[in-house]
Amino acid sequence: MGVGFLGEYYLWVKAAHVIFVIFWMAGLFILPRYLVHHQDGLGDPVEEDRWKLREGRLRRIILTPAMIAVWVIGLALAINIGLLVTIQGLAWLHAKLFVVYLLTGYQAVMVGYAKKLAVGKAPWPGRRLRMMNEVPALAVIIIVILAVVKPF
Ligand code: HEM
């Protein structure tokens, strides 16, 4: 495996990358909204059960599989364009990897928060939780500019 190993399939693999990116982002945009509703519904056992179920499904069906697919396919593209052999011309990719790494951490934090809500705890005030809603949008703006414009 090395530079150019995807050969003529490169663009197909890139298309698959963008498709899974969309699935992953859809999940990342909705998860913090679920958490806001879940937190607002604390104290009402029926509501609490509903949100626990929805959050569990979102994680199992969308978030975890899409996140893994984006990482695996993205790294294949990155290796194809030389991630393992050079840093020449790939500063944008390293910056992008760093932001995606942070976004993956964000998912872990929010899933952790869902687990706290599931046992009736609400560690953050609603305002802070709502501010956390903006993180994926900010990350997408930075990542897409890095991937498409490649400013450095
Ligand atoms: C998980 C780690 C990721 C890696 C290793 C990765 C790596 C790459 C690589 C190497 C390319 C090909 C660039 C080219 O052919 O010029 C690419 C394309 C792209 N990536 Fe990612 N990516 C990752 C995650 C993401 C995420 C999370 C997003 C969006 C939120 C994203 C959005 C895009 C877009 C829009 C393109 C198309 C750029 C173009 O060809 O115009 N990627 N990615």
Side-chain angles (χ1 to χ4, degrees):
M1 213 162 78
V3 179
F5 78 102
L6 294 172
E8 60 183 302
Y9 297 108
Y10 184 74
L11 290 178
W12 285 98
V13 177
K14 187 150 83 173
H17 177 61
V18 175
I19 291 165
F20 282 107
V21 160
I22 291 172
F23 293 160
W24 187 24
M25 292 308 120
L28 272 182
F29 282 127
I30 202 66
L31 175 67
R33 290 250 41 103
Y34 276 18
L35 301 184
V36 168
H37 294 305
H38 189 161
Q39 183 150 317
D40 288 347
L42 284 182
D44 175 344
V46 178
E47 275 289 289
E48 287 186 30
D49 282 349
R50 277 195 196 131
W51 288 110
K52 274 190 244 177
L53 194 71
R54 288 172 183 143
E55 285 154 16
R57 283 200 191 127
L58 181 67
R59 210 175 75 227
R60 278 194 315 277
I61 301 170
I62 310 269
L63 282 172
T64 308
M67 188 254 278
I68 292 170
V70 169
W71 269 104
V72 170
I73 300 171
L75 284 175
L77 293 172
I79 291 166
N80 188 88
I81 62 171
L83 179 70
L84 302 181
V85 292
T86 181
I87 51 165
Q88 284 287 314
L90 295 181
W92 65 273
L93 180 58
H94 288 270
K96 180 183 164 178
L97 275 169
F98 179 66
V99 181
V100 180
Y101 180 74
L102 294 181
L103 192 59
T104 306
Y106 168 86
Q107 175 169 320
V109 169
M110 299 315 267
V111 166
Y113 197 85
K115 288 181 178 162
K116 296 212 176 81
L117 289 176
V119 292
K121 289 190 202 141
W124 299 341
R127 204 179 117 73
R128 170 139 179 229
L129 193 54
R130 281 175 173 80
M131 275 172 66
M132 288 296 273
N133 265 273
E134 310 308 327
V135 172
L138 196 67
V140 167
I141 293 169
I142 298 170
I143 294 168
V144 171
I145 290 173
L146 287 169
V148 176
V149 181
K150 303 186 176 63
F152 44 79

PDB file of all heavy atoms in Angstrom, residues 30-43:
ATOM      1  N   ILE A  30     -27.420  16.277  14.831  1.00  0.00           N
ATOM      2  CA  ILE A  30     -28.662  16.004  15.564  1.00  0.00           C
ATOM      3  C   ILE A  30     -28.393  15.584  17.024  1.00  0.00           C
ATOM      4  O   ILE A  30     -29.207  15.862  17.903  1.00  0.00           O
ATOM      5  CB  ILE A  30     -29.541  14.967  14.803  1.00  0.00           C
ATOM      6  CG1 ILE A  30     -31.013  15.073  15.220  1.00  0.00           C
ATOM      7  CG2 ILE A  30     -29.073  13.556  14.986  1.00  0.00           C
ATOM      8  CD1 ILE A  30     -31.705  16.347  14.842  1.00  0.00           C
ATOM      9  N   LEU A  31     -27.241  14.922  17.275  1.00  0.00           N
ATOM     10  CA  LEU A  31     -26.993  14.418  18.635  1.00  0.00           C
ATOM     11  C   LEU A  31     -27.101  15.497  19.725  1.00  0.00           C
ATOM     12  O   LEU A  31     -27.855  15.325  20.689  1.00  0.00           O
ATOM     13  CB  LEU A  31     -25.632  13.692  18.717  1.00  0.00           C
ATOM     14  CG  LEU A  31     -25.227  13.243  20.122  1.00  0.00           C
ATOM     15  CD1 LEU A  31     -26.152  12.141  20.656  1.00  0.00           C
ATOM     16  CD2 LEU A  31     -23.777  12.756  20.172  1.00  0.00           C
ATOM     17  N   PRO A  32     -26.386  16.634  19.588  1.00  0.00           N
ATOM     18  CA  PRO A  32     -26.499  17.634  20.654  1.00  0.00           C
ATOM     19  C   PRO A  32     -27.913  18.205  20.814  1.00  0.00           C
ATOM     20  O   PRO A  32     -28.310  18.578  21.915  1.00  0.00           O
ATOM     21  CB  PRO A  32     -25.494  18.716  20.250  1.00  0.00           C
ATOM     22  CG  PRO A  32     -25.183  18.482  18.826  1.00  0.00           C
ATOM     23  CD  PRO A  32     -25.426  17.034  18.544  1.00  0.00           C
ATOM     24  N   ARG A  33     -28.700  18.232  19.713  1.00  0.00           N
ATOM     25  CA  ARG A  33     -30.100  18.673  19.821  1.00  0.00           C
ATOM     26  C   ARG A  33     -30.899  17.678  20.661  1.00  0.00           C
ATOM     27  O   ARG A  33     -31.705  18.064  21.510  1.00  0.00           O
ATOM     28  CB  ARG A  33     -30.759  18.828  18.438  1.00  0.00           C
ATOM     29  CG  ARG A  33     -30.255  19.984  17.638  1.00  0.00           C
ATOM     30  CD  ARG A  33     -31.280  21.126  17.477  1.00  0.00           C
ATOM     31  NE  ARG A  33     -32.060  21.436  18.666  1.00  0.00           N
ATOM     32  CZ  ARG A  33     -31.849  22.474  19.460  1.00  0.00           C
ATOM     33  NH1 ARG A  33     -30.866  23.311  19.230  1.00  0.00           N
ATOM     34  NH2 ARG A  33     -32.620  22.689  20.484  1.00  0.00           N
ATOM     35  N   TYR A  34     -30.652  16.385  20.412  1.00  0.00           N
ATOM     36  CA  TYR A  34     -31.308  15.353  21.228  1.00  0.00           C
ATOM     37  C   TYR A  34     -30.989  15.583  22.707  1.00  0.00           C
ATOM     38  O   TYR A  34     -31.851  15.461  23.568  1.00  0.00           O
ATOM     39  CB  TYR A  34     -30.783  13.964  20.834  1.00  0.00           C
ATOM     40  CG  TYR A  34     -31.440  13.291  19.654  1.00  0.00           C
ATOM     41  CD1 TYR A  34     -32.201  14.001  18.733  1.00  0.00           C
ATOM     42  CD2 TYR A  34     -31.274  11.917  19.456  1.00  0.00           C
ATOM     43  CE1 TYR A  34     -32.778  13.352  17.645  1.00  0.00           C
ATOM     44  CE2 TYR A  34     -31.856  11.267  18.375  1.00  0.00           C
ATOM     45  CZ  TYR A  34     -32.601  11.989  17.468  1.00  0.00           C
ATOM     46  OH  TYR A  34     -33.161  11.347  16.405  1.00  0.00           O
ATOM     47  N   LEU A  35     -29.705  15.904  22.965  1.00  0.00           N
ATOM     48  CA  LEU A  35     -29.287  16.046  24.371  1.00  0.00           C
ATOM     49  C   LEU A  35     -29.995  17.224  25.044  1.00  0.00           C
ATOM     50  O   LEU A  35     -30.354  17.143  26.216  1.00  0.00           O
ATOM     51  CB  LEU A  35     -27.759  16.197  24.465  1.00  0.00           C
ATOM     52  CG  LEU A  35     -26.941  15.032  23.893  1.00  0.00           C
ATOM     53  CD1 LEU A  35     -25.450  15.245  24.137  1.00  0.00           C
ATOM     54  CD2 LEU A  35     -27.369  13.688  24.469  1.00  0.00           C
ATOM     55  N   VAL A  36     -30.212  18.312  24.270  1.00  0.00           N
ATOM     56  CA  VAL A  36     -30.934  19.467  24.815  1.00  0.00           C
ATOM     57  C   VAL A  36     -32.358  19.038  25.206  1.00  0.00           C
ATOM     58  O   VAL A  36     -32.831  19.323  26.313  1.00  0.00           O
ATOM     59  CB  VAL A  36     -30.979  20.636  23.792  1.00  0.00           C
ATOM     60  CG1 VAL A  36     -31.977  21.707  24.224  1.00  0.00           C
ATOM     61  CG2 VAL A  36     -29.597  21.242  23.602  1.00  0.00           C
ATOM     62  N   HIS A  37     -33.023  18.299  24.304  1.00  0.00           N
ATOM     63  CA  HIS A  37     -34.395  17.852  24.595  1.00  0.00           C
ATOM     64  C   HIS A  37     -34.413  16.860  25.763  1.00  0.00           C
ATOM     65  O   HIS A  37     -35.300  16.907  26.621  1.00  0.00           O
ATOM     66  CB  HIS A  37     -35.016  17.184  23.362  1.00  0.00           C
ATOM     67  CG  HIS A  37     -35.239  18.121  22.223  1.00  0.00           C
ATOM     68  ND1 HIS A  37     -35.960  19.286  22.354  1.00  0.00           N
ATOM     69  CD2 HIS A  37     -34.834  18.082  20.939  1.00  0.00           C
ATOM     70  CE1 HIS A  37     -35.984  19.913  21.185  1.00  0.00           C
ATOM     71  NE2 HIS A  37     -35.305  19.205  20.316  1.00  0.00           N
ATOM     72  N   HIS A  38     -33.419  15.968  25.758  1.00  0.00           N
ATOM     73  CA  HIS A  38     -33.328  14.966  26.826  1.00  0.00           C
ATOM     74  C   HIS A  38     -33.176  15.672  28.183  1.00  0.00           C
ATOM     75  O   HIS A  38     -33.878  15.359  29.149  1.00  0.00           O
ATOM     76  CB  HIS A  38     -32.124  14.055  26.543  1.00  0.00           C
ATOM     77  CG  HIS A  38     -32.027  12.857  27.431  1.00  0.00           C
ATOM     78  ND1 HIS A  38     -31.271  11.763  27.112  1.00  0.00           N
ATOM     79  CD2 HIS A  38     -32.568  12.572  28.652  1.00  0.00           C
ATOM     80  CE1 HIS A  38     -31.368  10.857  28.088  1.00  0.00           C
ATOM     81  NE2 HIS A  38     -32.135  11.336  29.030  1.00  0.00           N
ATOM     82  N   GLN A  39     -32.270  16.680  28.206  1.00  0.00           N
ATOM     83  CA  GLN A  39     -32.042  17.413  29.462  1.00  0.00           C
ATOM     84  C   GLN A  39     -33.306  18.148  29.911  1.00  0.00           C
ATOM     85  O   GLN A  39     -33.647  18.149  31.086  1.00  0.00           O
ATOM     86  CB  GLN A  39     -30.873  18.381  29.288  1.00  0.00           C
ATOM     87  CG  GLN A  39     -30.505  19.127  30.555  1.00  0.00           C
ATOM     88  CD  GLN A  39     -29.019  19.489  30.608  1.00  0.00           C
ATOM     89  OE1 GLN A  39     -28.169  18.686  30.282  1.00  0.00           O
ATOM     90  NE2 GLN A  39     -28.724  20.704  31.029  1.00  0.00           N
ATOM     91  N   ASP A  40     -33.990  18.771  28.943  1.00  0.00           N
ATOM     92  CA  ASP A  40     -35.245  19.470  29.268  1.00  0.00           C
ATOM     93  C   ASP A  40     -36.297  18.494  29.802  1.00  0.00           C
ATOM     94  O   ASP A  40     -37.178  18.880  30.571  1.00  0.00           O
ATOM     95  CB  ASP A  40     -35.810  20.190  28.038  1.00  0.00           C
ATOM     96  CG  ASP A  40     -34.988  21.421  27.662  1.00  0.00           C
ATOM     97  OD1 ASP A  40     -34.154  21.841  28.495  1.00  0.00           O
ATOM     98  OD2 ASP A  40     -35.158  21.935  26.542  1.00  0.00           O
ATOM     99  N   GLY A  41     -36.216  17.229  29.354  1.00  0.00           N
ATOM    100  CA  GLY A  41     -37.221  16.240  29.742  1.00  0.00           C
ATOM    101  C   GLY A  41     -36.892  15.468  31.019  1.00  0.00           C
ATOM    102  O   GLY A  41     -37.666  14.590  31.431  1.00  0.00           O
ATOM    103  N   LEU A  42     -35.744  15.789  31.640  1.00  0.00           N
ATOM    104  CA  LEU A  42     -35.371  15.072  32.876  1.00  0.00           C
ATOM    105  C   LEU A  42     -36.463  15.232  33.924  1.00  0.00           C
ATOM    106  O   LEU A  42     -37.018  16.330  34.090  1.00  0.00           O
ATOM    107  CB  LEU A  42     -34.026  15.581  33.419  1.00  0.00           C
ATOM    108  CG  LEU A  42     -32.758  15.113  32.696  1.00  0.00           C
ATOM    109  CD1 LEU A  42     -31.524  15.672  33.402  1.00  0.00           C
ATOM    110  CD2 LEU A  42     -32.672  13.596  32.605  1.00  0.00           C
ATOM    111  N   GLY A  43     -36.761  14.149  34.618  1.00  0.00           N
ATOM    112  CA  GLY A  43     -37.830  14.193  35.628  1.00  0.00           C
ATOM    113  C   GLY A  43     -39.116  13.586  35.116  1.00  0.00           C
ATOM    114  O   GLY A  43     -39.997  13.243  35.900  1.00  0.00           O
TER     115      GLY A  43
END
